[in-house]
Amino acid sequence: MSTSNSSQALAQVLSNLADESIKVVDLTNPLGEDTPVIALPPEFAQSPPFSREVISKYDEKGPAWYWNTITVGEHTGTHFDTPSHWVTGKDLPNNTLDKIPAQKHVAPVCVIDTSKESAADADFLLTPEYIENWEQTHGRIPAGSWVLMRTDWSKHIGGETFLNLKEDGSHCPGPSVECINFLIERDVIGFGAETVGTDAGQAHLFEPMFPCHNLIHGAGKFGLASLCNLDQLPPTGAMLITAPMKIVDGSGSPVRVFALTPA
Ligand code: 23J
Ligand code: MN
């Protein structure tokens, strides 16, 4: 595209934003002390919940200002997973938060609605067959797109059914191993979910375990966990802006995710 065409295209987007014919949808959950944190099998180290301490609050420690120190695991709440998060991605180039090119943080998005299936079966797995069926209606997933799995699971936040812990661990929907291999073949930029992590609750039992970490990060692709408001997005045609913190050598971080979508 020529310079003037791209200037015009951007001016059009800005005008559409101003008159709200393009809407900005916030896919981010609030981050606080009550934010649910993933429970790994007990033999592994656990991530602490979000906490904070006041540095000063309009008081003798700082009479005119308020600020806190926060403690938060990199993988807490709505968050971004980099390839370095998993051992399979540890030697890839540009695999940490400070190295991902800015251009990768703006991308198209496909939303696959599995809310009915997930409501009927907490262990529902997205499969290649399900996606191929979606592609019959909505077209082939373009290379470089995010694929977000809508489950409406974010509506469980604040209740026991979000993590849905039983004696044998968490029961939440997610992608199958074959689904992740299929998405890598499609050359997506990453996979996003409404659940606490990108993998299904029982994915520690899959082969390989945690495929949406093991396989997708091994392929240099990203993850987005604990998204919300996917029910406000069209199946195709929206644009995702993902802005994690630029932590040096960071494996992931809480992220603010916005979708630009036609009104
Ligand atoms: C560590 C180990 C397993 C998993 C995770 C983290 C996540 O889901 C995460 O937040 O990346 S499954
Ligand atoms: Mn994560």
Side-chain angles (χ1 to χ4, degrees):
M1 198 186 270
S2 75
T3 303
S4 85
N5 274 347
S6 52
S7 300
Q8 270 176 25
L10 191 51
Q12 185 64 56
V13 169
L14 290 166
S15 153
N16 290 344
L17 283 165
D19 68 17
E20 296 186 29
S21 55
I22 293 176
K23 284 187 307 172
V24 182
V25 180
D26 193 347
L27 307 191
T28 318
N29 283 298
L31 178 61
E33 285 78 357
D34 296 334
T35 295
V37 174
I38 193 169
L40 294 181
E43 61 268 32
F44 302 120
Q46 308 293 323
S47 183
F50 175 96
S51 64
R52 68 187 123 191
E53 272 182 88
V54 176
I55 302 171
S56 70
K57 195 166 188 180
Y58 329 122
D59 52 20
E60 64 288 348
K61 294 181 178 170
W65 50 92
Y66 166 50
W67 50 349
N68 302 311
T69 300
I70 61 171
T71 299
V72 64
E74 288 180 328
H75 299 257
T76 304
T78 304
H79 73 270
F80 190 100
D81 293 345
T82 73
S84 71
H85 179 43
W86 219 254
V87 66
T88 47
K90 77 179 173 59
D91 297 321
L92 294 176
N94 305 321
N95 63 356
T96 55
L97 289 172
D98 54 323
K99 298 281 170 30
I100 297 170
Q103 206 83 9
K104 297 237 175 197
H105 288 295
V106 183
V109 56
C110 296
V111 181
I112 301 180
D113 182 5
T114 70
S115 55
K116 282 196 185 72
E117 292 82 357
S118 298
D121 175 11
D123 293 308
F124 173 75
L125 297 181
L126 184 58
T127 60
E129 295 70 39
Y130 197 100
I131 299 177
E132 279 173 334
N133 188 51
W134 181 96
E135 285 184 329
Q136 293 293 317
T137 311
H138 302 291
R140 188 183 165 97
I141 293 167
S145 305
W146 282 99
V147 169
L148 307 185
M149 181 178 174
R150 174 180 163 200
T151 55
D152 288 347
W153 217 253
S154 57
K155 297 178 183 175
H156 294 263
I157 291 177
E160 297 276 311
T161 51
F162 181 66
L163 296 178
N164 208 24
L165 290 170
K166 315 275 186 199
E167 280 106 87
D168 61 346
S170 170
H171 289 266
C172 301
S176 70
V177 171
E178 297 74 23
C179 172
I180 293 302
N181 282 321
F182 180 91
L183 293 176
I184 292 169
E185 230 173 77
R186 287 286 182 268
D187 199 20
V188 299
I189 194 164
F191 177 86
E194 291 184 58
T195 43
V196 72
T198 54
D199 262 305
Q202 292 288 295
H204 57 287
L205 302 175
F206 296 1
E207 179 48 50
M209 70 169 169
F210 303 120
C212 199
H213 289 77
N214 182 308
L215 302 173
I216 221 158
H217 298 324
K221 303 184 180 308
F222 310 139
L224 285 171
S226 201
L227 297 168
C228 61
N229 294 329
L230 299 191
D231 55 354
Q232 295 179 37
L233 301 187
T236 65
M239 178 176 114
L240 217 60
I241 302 172
T242 59
M245 295 171 74
K246 202 166 179 173
I247 301 171
V248 174
D249 292 334
S251 78
S253 96
V255 63
R256 197 72 188 256
V257 181
F258 293 119
L260 268 55
T261 174

